[in-house]
Amino acid sequence: GENVEQHPSTLSVQEGDSAVIKCTYSDSASNYFPWYKQELGKRPQLIIDIRSNVGEKKDQRIAVTLNKTAKHFSLHITETQPEDSAVYFCAARGQGGKLIFGQGTELSVKP
Amino acid sequence: GAVVSQHPSRVICKSGTSVKIECRSLDFQATTMFWYRQFPKKSLMLMATSNEGSKATYEQGVEKDKFLINHASLTLSTLTVTSAHPEDSSFYICSATRGGGLSNQPQHFGDGTRLSIL
């Protein structure tokens, strides 16, 4: 069935460093790949998304890359700040519009 | 601001109680809504796809008689956890997409409902 694998499960960086989170998906028909940030007890917040006709997208300190051939996409956060600390989820949209989520990455940015 | 409203935010009740959770799209019509369940420090697990005017589509392993979904209008879907037991305790979140499930729009999430069964 549809599956999304996300790595690493935890990531600790120093403030100002970059953070990279990687995901792979199994459904070759997936055409939309959002990234969500979730703080403890809160709803997931969309931070960036990319569609299958684009290889890269950037929004200030956040960028996402997509390799459709390899079924692989990544989130890049540059110049990390303590407020970036949260759990990040990648997702792939498959049949019927449903999102399949990765396992999540707990990012910790140390001041 | 929020485009999807979920209510209640927290429920604490005794075992055997049935609990209803509402999910509303605030300024758009949602023909499709999604219900997720999230355990502490875990990912969001899709439970079912709620379709306005028709039966919900449940994911494998989700008991349809346990988790009743009703999508009676274009702005409201409800999830009822019937005869809840402690193992049903979890964080339940709904989402909706402008233009329907197959649209090119992002999914917007409700604030979630933390359900605690004693």
Side-chain angles (χ1 to χ4, degrees), chain A residues 2 6 31-32 34 36 38 40-46 49 51 53 87 89-90 93-104 106, chain B residues 1-4 32 34 36 38 41-46 49 59 91 93 97 100-112 114:
Chain A
E2 300 145 326
Q6 181 173 347
N31 59 6
Y32 173 69
Y36 289 88
Q38 187 179 31
L40 192 63
K42 301 283 183 67
R43 73 172 82 187
Q45 296 270 14
L46 178 71
D49 56 12
R51 291 176 172 79
N53 58 344
V87 179
F89 292 99
C90 64
R93 184 167 66 194
Q95 294 180 18
K98 61 184 183 182
L99 287 180
I100 305 301
F101 283 83
Q103 295 85 350
E106 185 171 4
Chain B
V3 296
V4 174
T32 304
F34 301 93
Y36 296 85
Q38 187 176 32
K41 299 205 171 189
K42 296 292 184 183
S43 186
L44 287 85
M45 183 191 77
L46 180 65
T49 303
E59 294 300 303
F91 191 52
I93 315 178
T97 305
L102 297 177
S103 78
N104 225 12
Q105 299 296 316
Q107 281 192 22
H108 298 280
F109 286 86
D111 280 330
R114 186 159 303 283

Side-chain angles (χ1 to χ4, degrees), chain B residues 13-17 37-40 45 47 61 63 66-67 81-92 114-118:
Chain B
C13 57
K14 293 181 180 179
S15 186
T17 307
R37 182 174 181 176
Q38 187 176 32
F39 290 104
M45 183 191 77
M47 298 174 66
E63 298 177 60
K66 176 73 172 176
F67 299 100
V81 184
T82 61
S83 187
H85 291 284
E87 58 267 27
D88 298 322
S89 299
S90 191
F91 191 52
Y92 294 87
R114 186 159 303 283
L115 176 61
S116 299
I117 308 298
L118 305 177

Side-chain angles (χ1 to χ4, degrees), chain A residues 22-95:
Chain A
K22 299 181 178 182
C23 290
T24 58
Y25 60 99
S26 61
D27 185 0
S28 56
S30 294
N31 59 6
Y32 173 69
F33 308 90
W35 285 88
Y36 289 88
K37 176 183 180 182
Q38 187 179 31
E39 297 176 354
L40 192 63
K42 301 283 183 67
R43 73 172 82 187
Q45 296 270 14
L46 178 71
I47 56 171
I48 195 167
D49 56 12
I50 190 167
R51 291 176 172 79
S52 58
N53 58 344
V54 176
E56 185 173 355
K57 183 177 178 180
K58 189 173 181 180
D59 182 4
Q60 299 182 341
R61 297 187 296 111
I62 297 173
V64 57
T65 59
L66 171 64
N67 182 330
K68 280 217 74 179
T69 303
K71 291 190 280 188
H72 173 274
F73 58 115
S74 301
L75 176 73
H76 303 251
I77 305 175
T78 58
E79 300 171 36
T80 53
Q81 301 165 2
E83 49 266 38
D84 293 331
S85 297
V87 179
Y88 291 80
F89 292 99
C90 64
R93 184 167 66 194
Q95 294 180 18

Side-chain angles (χ1 to χ4, degrees), chain B residues 9-57:
Chain B
S9 58
R10 182 148 175 82
V11 179
I12 302 173
C13 57
K14 293 181 180 179
S15 186
T17 307
S18 290
V19 178
K20 180 187 280 189
I21 303 169
E22 294 186 346
C23 182
R24 295 181 185 272
S25 55
L26 295 182
D27 62 353
F28 64 98
Q29 294 182 334
T31 55
T32 304
M33 292 185 177
F34 301 93
W35 287 97
Y36 296 85
R37 182 174 181 176
Q38 187 176 32
F39 290 104
K41 299 205 171 189
K42 296 292 184 183
S43 186
L44 287 85
M45 183 191 77
L46 180 65
M47 298 174 66
T49 303
S50 174
N51 305 298
E52 187 269 334
S54 66
K55 290 182 180 180
T57 305

